[in-house]
């Protein structure tokens, strides 16, 4: 029982960088990590330090919260953010790659601009951020990296070719990073949310035919909530997952079992 002394889910004295932290899944995961003791470095395209409601939510709860702004569709913005956050926080213990976007259009009408924005935001920026933050983790010999994947990491979807390609790429990135870094004390894994009630799924939820079709396949019989993902994130960010590498945890109400 010695190994289980204390709380193996504790994140006390850890710093967690959460991208796409202003709402939805990212905000909920950040709150969950904070509840288990982590200080939060939050970044999103819309978050303006000193002007963010999210910043006030954490500070009013007595949680250390460090806000940053970054446009993940702009590579220069990504590198500017990385330079600043690494200067301000030389040791980041947990990285949650959550920032993302989705563009819906039939493939025949899916523009280069849609494709480029989705791939840059969902895949290229996540690779760059993970590589650069991962270098600091390598220097300390430990770290936890969590990618937010998708059911479309495994399936093709409809009307979202760029999104499906980006999330399929995330599945491969998880394995690639894990293959090189698992032996160096860094755990790299992912969470694949099912159909969660967020801005990304609003169009589906408002389409009676698609919504009915989706719900009919989910054994749990409901849309997921962002809160449903917090437990998986806490597990993957903590010592409880020290022997978990290169895998994706599905939080989908049973969708992938059908």
């Amino acid at each position: 029982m010695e190994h289980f002394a204390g709380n193996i889910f504790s994140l006390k004295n850890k710093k967690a960088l959460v991208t796409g932290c202003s709402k939805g899944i990212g905000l909920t995961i950040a709150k969950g990590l904070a509840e288990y003791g982590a200080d939060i470095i939050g970044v999103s395209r819309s978050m303006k330090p000193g002007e963010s409601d999210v910043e006030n939510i954490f500070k009013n709860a007595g949680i250390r919260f460090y806000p940053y702004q970054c446009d993940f569709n702009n590579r220069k913005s990504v590198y500017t953010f990385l330079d600043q956050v690494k200067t301000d926080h030389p040791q980041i213990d947990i990285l949650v790659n959550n920032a993302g976007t989705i563009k819906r259009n039939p493939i025949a009408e899916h523009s280069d601009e849609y494709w480029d924005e989705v791939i840059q935001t969902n895949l290229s920026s996540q690779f760059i951020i993970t590589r650069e933050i991962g270098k600091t983790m390598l220097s300390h010999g430990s770290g936890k990296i969590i990618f937010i994947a998708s059911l479309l990491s495994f399936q093709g979807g409809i009307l979202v070719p760029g999104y499906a390609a980006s999330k399929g790429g995330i599945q491969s990135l998880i394995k690639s990073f894990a293959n090189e870094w698992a032996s160096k004390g860094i755990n790299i894994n992912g969470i694949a949310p099912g159909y969660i009630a967020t801005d990304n799924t609003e169009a589906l939820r408002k389409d009676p035919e698609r919504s009915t079709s989706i719900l009919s396949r989910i054994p749990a019989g409901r849309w997921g909530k962002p809160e449903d993902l917090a437990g998986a994130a806490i597990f993957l960010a903590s010592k409880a997952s020290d022997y978990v590498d290169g895998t994706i945890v599905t939080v989908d109400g049973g969708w992938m079992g059908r």
Side-chain angles (χ1 to χ4, degrees):
M1 298 296 291
E2 187 176 322
H3 178 71
F4 295 100
N7 184 354
I8 60 171
F9 295 100
S10 174
L11 303 175
K12 188 176 180 181
N13 298 322
K14 302 292 186 183
K15 277 188 180 178
L17 168 56
V18 182
T19 71
C21 188
S22 62
K23 60 185 177 180
I25 290 171
L27 177 57
T28 300
I29 287 176
K31 288 178 178 178
L33 300 181
E35 285 179 14
Y36 276 74
D39 298 338
I40 304 298
I41 304 164
V43 56
S44 77
R45 183 172 56 182
S46 61
M47 190 176 296
K48 295 182 179 180
E51 302 178 23
S52 168
D53 291 339
V54 174
E55 185 176 354
N56 293 329
I57 289 171
F58 285 94
K59 290 190 174 179
N60 290 340
I63 296 162
R64 291 190 184 92
F65 183 82
Y66 308 93
Y68 292 84
Q69 188 173 25
C70 177
D71 180 359
F72 300 99
N73 187 38
N74 182 306
R75 190 161 295 191
K76 182 179 179 181
S77 179
V78 170
Y79 278 109
T80 298
F81 159 68
L82 285 167
D83 287 343
Q84 188 63 57
V85 79
K86 288 193 295 182
T87 298
D88 296 345
H89 306 280
Q91 181 164 345
I92 294 171
D93 306 287
I94 301 158
L95 169 62
V96 181
N97 284 306
N98 168 71
T101 191
I102 190 168
K103 298 290 186 182
R104 300 180 188 278
N105 235 357
I107 286 178
E109 301 164 20
H110 205 81
S111 67
D112 291 353
E113 290 77 15
Y114 272 16
W115 176 271
D116 290 345
E117 179 178 349
V118 172
I119 295 299
Q120 176 62 41
T121 301
N122 294 8
L123 186 61
S124 299
S125 288
Q126 294 200 26
F127 169 72
I128 292 167
I129 291 168
T130 302
R131 183 190 65 204
E132 296 305 309
I133 298 300
K135 289 177 185 178
T136 69
M137 292 179 174
L138 289 170
S139 70
H140 294 106
S142 65
K144 300 281 186 173
I145 298 173
I146 304 166
F147 287 88
I148 302 304
S150 167
L151 295 181
L152 298 194
S153 295
F154 316 109
Q155 301 172 331
I158 300 171
L159 305 179
V160 287
Y163 185 82
S166 71
K167 293 301 184 177
I170 289 297
Q171 177 180 211
S172 293
L173 271 188
I174 289 167
K175 297 179 187 300
S176 294
F177 275 111
N179 288 345
E180 293 196 34
W181 289 357
S183 64
K184 303 180 188 304
I186 303 173
N187 300 98
I188 300 97
N189 295 288
I191 299 171
Y195 284 91
I196 309 296
T198 64
D199 290 352
N200 272 5
T201 60
E202 185 176 6
L204 296 177
R205 287 181 285 118
K206 287 184 175 180
D207 182 331
E209 184 176 340
R210 289 282 283 131
S211 181
T212 299
S213 173
I214 288 166
L215 284 172
S216 70
R217 178 173 165 165
I218 301 173
R222 65 172 176 86
W223 288 82
K225 301 173 292 185
E227 291 77 11
D228 292 321
L229 301 166
I234 292 162
F235 166 65
L236 291 175
S238 71
K239 284 187 64 63
S241 62
D242 279 356
Y243 198 57
V244 181
D245 294 281
T247 196
I248 296 177
V249 178
T250 54
V251 182
D252 63 355
W255 174 280
M256 289 300 293
R258 290 294 291 268

